[in-house]
Amino acid sequence: MCGIVGYIGNKQAKDVILDGLKRLEYRGYDSAGISLFNMRQQIFDVYKDQGRVDKLAKSVLKSPRSNIGIGHTRWATHGKVNKENAHPHYSHSRRFILVHNGVIENYKQLKEQYLSGVTFLSETDTEVIAQLIETFSNTLNIENAILTTLRLLRGSYALLILDQQNPDLVYAAKYKSPLLVGRGKEGITVASDLMALIGYSEEYLPLDDKTFVVASRDNLKLFDINHKSLVPNFTKIDMTNGDVERGEYAHFMIKEIHEQPSVIRRIVTNYFDKDQSLINNQILKDIKGSDRIYILAAGTSMHAGLIGKNLFEKLASIPVEVHIASEFAYQQPLLSEKPFFILVSQSGETADLRACLVNIKDQNYKVLTITNVATSTLAREANYFLELYAGPEIAVASTKAYVAQIAILALVAYELSKKTFSIREELTKVALSIEKFLSDENMRYLTRNLLTHRNCFFIGRGLDYYVGLEAALKLKEISYIQTEGFAAGELKHGTIALIEEGTPVIAMISNPRISHNTRSNLNEVLARGARAIRIVMSNVAEEDDEVIIDEVHELLTPMAMVVPTQLISYYAALERSYDIDKPRNLAKSVTVE
Ligand code: M6R
């Protein structure tokens, strides 16, 4: 969704900002804009339009040198995708210029109450903020004009503001939408995502809600919403440009698929000191003291949650419910007496989950967030947090985060179990199995011949069914083929009516106890003209099975079984020449409900 980057320092601001915005492109957007200081005319210029950052870069090619600026990528929520609605936005006299991530829920009331007679240039909720600051600046100094405005806003915001009368300062504020300040030898960068700071800042400060920042070239002042000074507490950035670049790979998605074995190994290394687990004991105590775990998540993370349910129930005998966050947030089911909540999220910013978190905390229940982003809102606001250590996941289609989420859920469940096997060894075997499979280049050929239809089915039973759900989401989101993941035994109860000559059906088979049932269901669709491929684990493989994965522990099969399906999705999109890393209509981090 929207991205924000601002800079003040010794470098060319447009280089830092455009570079940052490019790094945030993966989040999804439809317009881009930037404001830079024009020394000759002593004003901030604004360049913006719908379209990509590359187009914006061309429009500022000849802009004068500026050491200060703010930039934005917009994912439309209020108002059409057009130049007027793109950020930055001006106040009516053009004194204030700002970019905004988030949604101002009460913008209509604010307009009516404070801004009657003001002519608006856009249809956005954001513009109201610029207009209010200008209105209040007639009677208040700039800092108080901004703070007075902030106190009136309902909703969420990450804001960067420029003032034509103070052209050597960047103002920033945050509430619910993420915003981080980066500090380096060459200046201060403020951005909505750590990725935009890498290479420019040595340390970073994730802002808390309701903080207000005034940044100059060599100084940073931090306040709370009541204008009380706060002491910034910076953390060293330990990522390099290599972590956020594609390197030899054609797309981030394929890079991230190939990183999965090393992600699993990193998790094993980071969560163990010799044989001793490093998972916070209090998390385990709290789970033991609960009578039911509720796993809440969205999309791929919800699919990882389903695997987690099986792990906790089988290993630790704790009942688990898995819920879609957007449903749970407004339709909370009847809870058990002593619930424990686990939020699973790659980004740690998913707004549907944040809505759940607020409700859960209001009810005083304990929450653990499992996420890839240590600085994220969900990591910081939960009682406990476990990091995925997957490294930045940039492709919109989530791959390595899914595998990492299952690994972390497995580690927690294992610590609560009788420990009849070594989880470290079993995870290491999964890494090996994936690695071996990834060296086989047959998947592209198989995909090309299979996925010629406009629809497709993944079928399986038990854990394979859950993997099928994830496989279907992946295929539809990047190849736009209508795909369903289906419980193999349920097909004959209605959906088999959709099978016709040539319909692709991909069967997932990993469990020896039920493999023959899935094979029977597959025969039923083959008899009706389906074209199938079988993805099977080596211990249940039969002659003619197309894709065989080396056997892994029965509770961890999804981590390995999912990999061929990721490749199927990747190659299906590649064959169609689609924008694999940035599929249409989607955003990496879904920060609106
Ligand atoms: O950042 P999160 O894990 O909370 O995001 C949840 C979903 O939006 C995400 O998994 C989405 O389904 C992916 N694009 C799927 O590949």
Side-chain angles (χ1 to χ4, degrees):
M1 306 232 139
C2 305
I4 281 190
V5 187
Y7 175 76
I8 180 160
N10 304 325
K11 287 182 175 281
Q12 268 271 40
K14 75 174 170 197
D15 295 345
V16 182
I17 295 169
L18 291 173
D19 212 15
L21 292 180
K22 283 225 57 95
R23 298 247 183 97
L24 303 189
E25 278 190 309
Y26 77 103
R27 299 171 67 104
Y29 69 105
D30 43 61
S31 322
I34 192 168
S35 180
L36 298 165
F37 194 61
N38 183 329
M39 288 282 250
R40 229 172 308 128
Q41 297 181 11
Q42 288 293 300
I43 54 161
F44 282 104
D45 292 325
V46 168
Y47 309 80
K48 61 179 186 173
D49 209 343
Q50 66 187 85
R52 295 282 184 199
V53 175
D54 284 339
K55 179 174 163 195
L56 178 70
K58 281 192 193 125
S59 70
V60 293
L61 218 50
K62 297 208 172 95
S63 66
R65 187 183 170 84
S66 167
N67 301 108
I68 177 171
I70 58 177
H72 190 263
T73 46
R74 173 178 188 246
W75 191 86
T77 58
H78 293 68
K80 288 186 276 301
V81 177
N82 60 26
K83 181 172 178 166
E84 288 69 39
N85 291 333
H87 298 218
H89 288 286
Y90 281 113
S91 62
H92 53 272
S93 76
R94 304 207 152 211
R95 174 175 166 187
F96 295 103
I97 297 157
L98 61 80
V99 293
H100 166 224
N101 281 4
V103 172
I104 304 304
E105 288 160 7
N106 59 339
Y107 77 104
K108 284 194 183 136
Q109 292 102 292
L110 293 171
K111 248 182 180 177
E112 277 163 27
Q113 199 173 341
Y114 296 95
L115 300 166
S116 58
V118 173
T119 308
F120 277 70
L121 302 172
S122 75
E123 302 163 304
T124 63
D125 53 335
T126 298
E127 194 183 335
V128 83
I129 310 172
Q131 305 292 18
L132 283 173
I133 296 172
E134 169 133 3
T135 303
F136 293 128
S137 71
N138 293 329
T139 49
L140 299 170
N141 68 29
I142 158 90
E143 290 186 10
N144 281 314
I146 295 174
L147 285 164
T148 304
T149 302
L150 297 180
R151 287 186 213 114
L152 292 174
L153 303 179
R154 269 209 332 263
S156 54
Y157 57 77
L159 282 169
L160 297 182
I161 306 161
L162 297 172
D163 175 9
Q164 305 274 17
Q165 294 182 13
N166 288 290
D168 45 9
L169 295 175
V170 175
Y171 302 90
K174 178 235 163 7
Y175 182 60
K176 287 191 182 171
S177 297
L179 198 61
L180 302 98
V181 179
R183 197 160 59 179
K185 287 188 198 78
E186 300 289 349
I188 288 173
T189 312
V190 190
S192 50
D193 190 317
L194 187 62
M195 306 267 288
L197 306 181
I198 295 164
Y200 293 106
S201 301
E202 279 101 54
E203 47 182 13
Y204 72 98
L205 167 73
L207 294 178
D208 285 328
D209 275 350
K210 298 191 181 174
T211 43
F212 171 53
V213 172
V214 183
S216 65
R217 199 177 272 237
D218 46 20
N219 192 19
L220 183 88
K221 290 192 284 175
L222 194 68
F223 302 98
D224 70 9
I225 196 126
N226 298 315
H227 217 175
K228 190 169 150 262
S229 285
L230 302 169
V231 181
N233 189 4
F234 279 85
T235 307
K236 195 172 168 299
I237 296 179
D238 56 9
M239 270 191 254
T240 63
N241 286 338
D243 291 318
V244 292
E245 281 162 10
R246 270 193 289 114
E248 75 207 61
Y249 292 96
H251 299 95
F252 279 106
M253 184 177 176
I254 193 74
K255 175 180 183 233
E256 289 159 8
I257 290 172
H258 279 265
E259 281 171 352
Q260 294 178 113
S262 55
V263 169
I264 298 170
R265 291 191 180 107
R266 195 180 313 140
I267 288 172
V268 171
T269 309
N270 288 358
Y271 277 101
F272 283 95
D273 180 9
K274 301 204 178 86
D275 276 337
Q276 189 60 39
S277 155
L278 298 178
I279 290 177
N280 176 349
N281 219 14
Q282 196 54 45
I283 299 177
L284 304 174
K285 273 196 189 146
D286 280 356
I287 299 181
K288 274 187 198 147
S290 75
D291 60 359
R292 185 169 291 250
I293 296 173
Y294 291 80
I295 298 181
L296 312 182
T300 290
S301 301
M302 198 275 289
H303 296 150
L306 292 171
I307 312 299
K309 171 182 165 67
N310 192 63
L311 285 159
F312 282 108
E313 293 187 343
K314 295 272 162 44
L315 285 173
S317 302
I318 303 173
V320 181
E321 288 181 26
V322 182
H323 290 270
I324 295 172
S326 56
E327 286 298 309
F328 190 95
Y330 299 101
Q331 187 73 7
Q332 185 174 296
L334 193 59
L335 299 178
S336 65
E337 260 177 52
K338 290 183 278 174
F340 182 87
F341 287 87
I342 301 182
L343 308 186
V344 184
S345 171
Q346 187 284 131
S347 63
E349 298 296 346
T350 299
D352 295 324
L353 268 178
R354 176 114 201 296
C356 296
L357 181 60
V358 171
N359 293 346
I360 299 164
K361 287 181 77 179
D362 279 351
Q363 297 167 80
N364 284 322
Y365 296 129
K366 289 282 169 57
V367 191
L368 158 68
T369 291
I370 297 177
T371 180
N372 204 22
V373 186
T375 55
S376 65
T377 309
L378 297 177
R380 288 186 295 133
E381 293 184 356
N383 302 81
Y384 309 110
F385 148 65
L386 292 175
E387 187 168 352
L388 295 181
Y389 294 116
E393 191 181 65
I394 294 169
V396 164
S398 185
T399 53
K400 61 178 177 172
Y402 171 81
V403 162
Q405 286 163 346
I406 298 174
I408 303 292
L409 288 162
L411 289 182
V412 180
Y414 177 81
E415 285 308 312
L416 295 162
S417 76
K418 295 204 174 91
K419 302 190 180 171
T420 52
F421 62 95
S422 159
I423 190 80
R424 293 174 65 185
E425 279 173 22
E426 295 305 333
L427 284 171
T428 308
K429 271 192 212 155
V430 176
L432 275 171
S433 165
I434 297 177
E435 208 157 51
K436 182 165 166 218
F437 173 74
L438 283 172
S439 57
D440 174 358
E441 290 180 353
N442 206 16
M443 288 313 291
R444 183 170 189 170
Y445 166 76
L446 276 176
T447 307
R448 185 185 298 147
N449 287 322
L450 183 77
L451 294 179
T452 46
H453 257 236
R454 62 171 296 280
N455 58 358
C456 175
F457 290 90
F458 284 89
I459 62 167
R461 287 170 176 250
L463 287 175
D464 294 329
Y465 162 47
Y466 294 155
V467 178
L469 295 177
E470 168 54 14
L473 175 64
K474 204 89 322 159
L475 184 59
K476 72 180 95 159
E477 76 175 319
I478 62 167
S479 74
Y480 318 138
I481 296 170
Q482 187 158 8
T483 316
E484 249 184 282
F486 227 81
E490 183 67 10
L491 268 181
K492 58 184 175 295
H493 296 289
T495 306
I496 201 165
L498 295 176
I499 304 293
E500 55 189 35
E501 202 55 42
T503 305
V505 175
I506 301 167
M508 317 289 298
I509 308 173
S510 71
N511 184 335
R513 270 190 307 108
I514 44 178
S515 64
H516 65 282
N517 302 67
T518 309
R519 288 191 190 273
S520 302
N521 301 135
L522 187 64
N523 286 337
E524 288 154 17
V525 296
L526 286 172
R528 286 156 182 86
R531 293 172 60 211
I533 56 175
R534 286 155 281 240
I535 298 176
V536 304
M537 197 122 276
S538 54
N539 52 326
V540 293
E542 290 182 6
E543 210 183 326
D544 296 339
D545 285 340
E546 291 82 357
V547 183
I548 301 174
I549 316 284
D550 272 7
E551 183 184 355
V552 300
H553 190 282
E554 58 176 345
L555 293 174
L556 303 176
T557 55
M559 296 173 74
M561 291 289 284
V562 77
V563 180
T565 74
Q566 297 169 340
L567 290 180
I568 287 174
S569 306
Y570 176 77
Y571 289 125
L574 194 67
E575 287 295 323
R576 288 162 177 73
S577 306
Y578 290 149
D579 191 347
I580 294 182
D581 289 333
K582 296 190 281 293
R584 71 184 180 206
N585 306 339
L586 292 179
K588 181 67 181 164
S589 163
V590 186
T591 50
V592 293
E593 286 183 59

